[in-house]
Amino acid sequence: MLNQIWHRRVRHRIEAARRPPWPGPPGLLTLRQPLGAGALIRDAEGRVLLIQQSYQRPPLWLPPGGWVDRGETPREAACREVWEELGVRVDVGRALATRGGGYGELTILFDCRRLDDAPFRLSDEIAQAEFFRPEALPPMSVMARACLTEALAALAGGP
């Protein structure tokens, strides 16, 4: 299973490297900080969808998401990552939270809405996907919990 995950990640990176470079102004200095995009997906009861990655030890819960590839916007990455990890389509809304992560990346968490009621089709990278009440979240990293707390406050009209 880890071999499949590795091959998928390598294939994905090769495809990203083939994309055209960012068409920004010539001479503009851009930072090479990794950028992540996450999706805050809620059900009709207001519960939050979280995933457990199959390769992460210890297993912790976090919102679906991943790296933004070259030539891709963070919104596009959030949509793509949800499709790759869960097999469902989402409409990506506004950015709710921005936090640093364990890999030195900057992650943007977006408000997302499912476009269908298709059952989840978990990729090899995902061990579990479940909805949780915001007041009863499972074990998460400090950074993931802070990002999710900030996003939920933004949805509730907070700062």
Side-chain angles (χ1 to χ4, degrees):
M1 183 168 85
L2 290 177
N3 197 18
Q4 291 172 338
I5 293 170
W6 174 254
H7 285 291
R8 183 170 163 249
R9 285 186 176 273
V10 169
R11 185 178 65 246
H12 188 69
R13 290 287 178 199
I14 290 170
E15 290 169 3
R18 291 181 181 150
R19 291 189 183 126
W22 180 68
L28 180 65
L29 177 64
T30 57
L31 297 175
R32 304 281 302 181
Q33 181 176 18
L35 185 59
L40 178 60
I41 302 170
R42 294 167 293 143
D43 66 6
E45 299 171 32
R47 297 178 303 169
V48 176
L49 178 66
L50 299 175
I51 61 167
Q52 239 182 13
Q53 296 168 327
S54 58
Y55 54 86
Q56 188 177 20
R57 298 290 178 261
L60 298 172
W61 293 89
L62 67 158
W67 300 113
V68 176
D69 290 330
R70 189 170 60 180
E72 182 177 54
T73 69
R75 278 188 170 80
E76 291 169 341
C79 185
R80 174 185 51 76
E81 286 288 342
V82 170
W83 174 252
E84 288 177 1
E85 293 177 350
L86 301 170
V88 295
R89 298 285 182 198
V90 293
D91 178 44
V92 181
R94 68 184 174 116
L96 298 171
T98 305
R99 291 285 174 158
Y103 297 103
E105 82 279 10
L106 176 67
T107 296
I108 304 168
L109 187 59
F110 291 97
D111 186 17
C112 294
R113 182 180 55 86
R114 285 186 67 176
L115 296 176
D116 58 39
D117 290 329
F120 293 133
R121 181 183 38 80
L122 303 182
S123 76
D124 293 338
E125 293 182 1
I126 307 303
Q128 298 181 66
E130 291 183 35
F131 285 96
F132 294 91
R133 291 187 332 269
E135 65 276 5
L137 295 174
M140 304 173 75
S141 73
V142 171
M143 289 177 270
R145 187 175 297 276
C147 190
L148 189 55
T149 300
E150 181 182 331
L152 292 170
L155 285 171

